[in-house]
Amino acid sequence: MKIKDYINKQVSIAPLVVFRIIFGIMMASSAIRFWANGWIDTQFIQPTHFFHYYGFSWVTPLDSTGMYVVFSVMILSALAIAFGAFYRFSALVYFLTFTYVELLDVTNYLNHYYFVSLMAFIMIFLPAHRRFSYDVYRNPETFRSTVSAWTIDAIKLQLSIVYFYAGIAKLNTDWLFNAQPLRLWLASRTDLFLIGPLLKYTWVAFVFSWVGCVYDLVIPFFLVNKKTRIYAYIAVVVFHVVTSILFPIGMFPYIMILSTLIFFSSDFHEKIIIALGRFFSSENLAIEVKRGRINSIPQQLIRLGFALFFIFQLIFPFRYAFYKDNLFWTEQGFRFSWRVMLIEKSGSATFYVVNPDTNRKIEINNSDYLTPLQEKMMATQPDLILQYAQIIKEAFEKKGFENPAVYVDAYVTLNGRSSQQYIDPSVDLTKLKDTFASKNWILPFKG
C-alpha cells in the first residue's frame, strides 16, 4: 500500500472509542488507588526534599491542599476522557496533571508511568470523541463513524514499542544466561499457593527469563496478525496475570491487558459499544454528517508531529551506546528506554561533610533529609547521589559552614553479585555537575 493511500484510508472509529473509554476509566482508577493508599501524602507531602529530572528542577510540589487538588483534577479529567466530555481539553489537562506529578521526584519513576504520559499525549490529538461521547451528545454534527487508519495504528505502535523494546532490553547476559534477577525474585515467592515450591528451582527462573524475552519480542507481531490474534491475546492475559501475582507492579498488568484490546477488529469493538449503549440513550449519536476535518489542527501538521514523535521513540532508548561501562551499573541511558524489571540493585551510601577550614568530618544521617524510599533509590543511582550531595551542601551552608565538601562511601550489589564500591570516595561531590557526559566518578564495574 502506498503511503498516500494509507494516509487517506478510513476505518471504523469503534476501536478508538473503546480505547478512549478504557484509558479514561483505568487512569481514573489508578489515581483513586494512589489516593486511597495514602501515597499522595507519603510521596509528595511528607518529603522535605525531592530529586529532579535533568532540566526539570523548576517542577516542584504544591502544598498539601494543592497536591490533593491536582489529583482531584486528574481524576475528573480522566473520567471526562472516558465519557468524551470536553475531550480535547480533558485530555490536555490529564496529560499535564499526570506528567507534572511524575516529574516531581525521580525516585517515583516507573516505566508504566512513562507509558501513561506518552499515551495521554497521543490521545490529545486523536479524534476519539467523535462517537459515543458527551461531546457528540452536545453537538451531533461532530459525529463520525470512520477515522483515518493511522489514528488507531498510532496506539498500536506505541504499545508495540513498549513490548518489543522490553524484549530487546532482555537480550543481555544477566537475563538470558544467569536468569537474573528472576532467580532472586522467584526464590522469595516460594510461599505462593501451588506454584510456590517450584519457584526455588533455578531451571524455573531460566524458563521465565527466556519465555519473557521471546514473549516481548514476538507478541506485537502475533497481535497484528488476524489469524494468531486471539492466541496472542490469551498469552497477554496469562503473562500479565502471572506477573501481577508474582511481583508488586500495581496497575500496569491490567493497563496492558485492556489496552491491547485495540488490536482486535472493528466488529469486536462495535459489539462493546452496542453493549455499553444499552446503558445510555445514544440514538442521537447515530447521525452521520458530511466528512470534514477531523481536527482543528491541520492534518499534515499532526501527521508530521506523530512521525517525529515515533522516530524519537525508536531512537532514544539506544542512547546508552554513547556511554562506557555497564549500563545497569552506571544507569546512564537506563530510564525511558523500556528496561522493565531487569535489575535487582541495592546499596548503602554513607555521606560525610568536611569543613575545609578545620578538616572536621561529619557523618550524615540520611533519614534527616530523605524518606526511606528516597534513600533506597538514591543509594544506587549516581545522578541522585550527586543531587543529594547538593542538598547536604545547602543544608550545611545554612548552618554557617562555608564551602562544605561532601564525600560518599557507597557500595552497591547488582543482580546477586558481591557488593562493590560504587563512587570514588576521594571526589568532592559538590564540585561536580550533572550532565549528559560520562560520569567518570563512578567506579568501574568489576563484573
Side-chain angles (χ1 to χ4, degrees):
M1 180 184 295
K2 295 181 179 179
I3 295 178
K4 185 176 180 180
D5 292 338
Y6 172 72
I7 290 174
N8 294 323
K9 180 182 177 182
Q10 296 289 304
V11 297
S12 170
I13 195 175
L16 199 56
V17 172
V18 173
F19 184 84
R20 183 202 79 218
I21 297 170
I22 289 173
F23 182 79
I25 293 174
M26 290 296 290
M27 295 309 102
S29 300
S30 296
I32 292 171
R33 174 177 175 267
F34 199 94
W35 188 323
N37 282 320
W39 294 335
I40 299 175
D41 182 63
T42 58
Q43 295 189 18
F44 304 116
I45 297 173
Q46 290 183 16
T48 55
H49 299 90
F50 295 86
F51 292 94
H52 303 289
Y53 290 94
Y54 185 87
F56 288 92
S57 59
W58 53 274
V59 180
T60 56
L62 302 175
D63 60 14
S64 176
T65 301
M67 289 309 302
Y68 280 102
V69 168
V70 167
F71 271 83
S72 297
V73 172
M74 187 191 304
I75 293 167
L76 290 174
S77 60
L79 291 174
I81 290 173
F83 285 97
F86 310 101
Y87 173 76
R88 300 284 190 195
F89 177 74
S90 299
L92 176 61
V93 169
Y94 179 78
F95 167 72
L96 292 176
T97 53
F98 185 88
T99 304
Y100 161 73
V101 167
E102 299 318 313
L103 287 175
L104 288 176
D105 197 328
V106 180
T107 60
N108 297 325
Y109 172 82
L110 291 174
N111 281 286
H112 84 261
Y113 290 161
Y114 178 44
F115 167 75
V116 169
S117 280
L118 292 177
M119 197 60 76
F121 179 76
I122 290 173
M123 293 295 287
I124 296 171
F125 303 98
L126 301 184
H129 62 310
R130 295 284 184 157
R131 182 183 174 192
F132 202 71
S133 68
Y134 178 74
D135 287 347
V136 173
Y137 176 81
R138 288 189 305 119
N139 184 8
E141 291 185 357
T142 62
F143 174 87
R144 289 184 63 89
S145 61
T146 62
V147 291
S148 299
W150 68 264
T151 62
I152 296 173
D153 290 342
I155 297 175
K156 294 178 182 178
L157 179 56
Q158 185 62 70
L159 286 164
S160 297
I161 288 173
V162 174
Y163 278 122
F164 189 71
Y165 274 57
I168 291 177
K170 290 179 174 67
L171 298 176
N172 66 79
T173 302
D174 271 7
W175 186 271
L176 295 178
F177 302 118
N178 296 323
Q180 293 286 18
L182 286 183
R183 285 171 63 180
L184 297 173
W185 293 341
L186 294 179
S188 68
R189 301 310 312 273
T190 54
D191 60 317
L192 288 175
F193 174 71
L194 196 61
I195 64 171
L198 291 174
L199 301 181
K200 66 181 179 181
Y201 296 107
T202 300
W203 67 266
V204 174
F206 274 98
V207 169
F208 272 72
S209 293
W210 280 83
V211 169
C213 180
V214 173
Y215 166 85
D216 282 335
L217 289 171
V218 306
I219 201 66
F221 303 102
F222 284 102
L223 285 168
V224 169
N225 189 311
K226 183 178 180 180
K227 294 180 179 179
T228 57
R229 184 174 298 141
I230 185 63
Y231 305 107
Y233 189 72
I234 292 172
V236 167
V237 173
V238 171
F239 178 86
H240 286 297
V241 168
V242 170
T243 55
S244 70
I245 293 172
L246 293 175
F247 312 114
I249 51 180
M251 296 285 291
F252 182 66
Y254 310 105
I255 291 173
M256 295 304 287
I257 287 172
L258 293 175
S259 296
T260 307
L261 288 172
I262 190 76
F263 286 92
F264 280 89
S265 68
S266 297
D267 291 341
F268 171 82
H269 291 90
E270 286 286 355
K271 293 176 181 178
I272 294 177
I273 293 175
I274 291 172
L276 292 173
R278 295 171 184 169
F279 299 97
F280 301 94
S281 176
S282 56
E283 293 179 0
N284 63 324
L285 305 187
I287 303 172
E288 181 66 83
V289 298
K290 183 178 179 179
R291 181 181 302 168
R293 292 187 303 168
I294 296 177
N295 303 281
S296 58
I297 304 174
Q299 287 292 294
Q300 289 184 346
L301 184 59
I302 289 181
R303 289 195 293 266
L304 175 61
F306 269 96
L308 295 175
F309 174 82
F310 283 114
I311 289 172
F312 174 80
Q313 286 288 305
L314 294 172
I315 295 175
F316 193 59
F318 293 103
R319 68 193 185 281
Y320 74 92
F322 292 100
Y323 300 103
K324 62 181 181 180
D325 213 340
N326 185 292
L327 166 64
F328 297 163
W329 184 249
T330 67
E331 296 201 31
Q332 290 192 276
F334 186 85
R335 301 187 195 109
F336 310 110
S337 57
W338 310 118
R339 301 182 186 283
V340 183
M341 301 181 68
L342 291 182
I343 58 176
E344 172 60 33
K345 201 174 182 184
S346 60
S348 63
T350 304
F351 287 78
Y352 300 93
V353 173
V354 176
N355 187 329
D357 297 329
T358 64
N359 285 326
R360 180 188 174 195
K361 187 176 182 181
I362 303 172
E363 182 176 333
I364 301 300
N365 183 355
N366 294 333
S367 63
D368 290 341
Y369 301 92
L370 306 177
T371 66
L373 174 63
Q374 288 178 319
E375 182 176 1
K376 175 184 176 181
M377 302 303 290
M378 174 276 298
T380 63
Q381 300 179 55
D383 58 334
L384 304 191
I385 287 175
L386 198 59
Q387 285 191 46
Y388 184 46
Q390 293 297 325
I391 290 173
I392 295 171
K393 176 188 176 184
E394 292 173 4
F396 273 78
E397 285 177 338
K398 291 179 180 179
K399 295 178 181 179
F401 284 65
E402 293 187 10
N403 301 315
V406 178
Y407 301 87
V408 65
D409 193 21
Y411 286 83
V412 168
T413 174
L414 174 62
N415 286 345
R417 295 177 177 84
S418 299
S419 181
Q420 302 177 33
Q421 192 158 31
Y422 196 38
I423 305 297
D424 187 341
S426 66
V427 173
D428 178 4
L429 299 176
T430 66
K431 304 298 184 184
L432 303 175
K433 290 186 178 181
D434 192 15
T435 68
F436 290 119
S438 295
K439 294 176 170 57
N440 297 323
W441 40 274
I442 303 175
L443 295 176
F445 180 61
K446 298 177 182 178

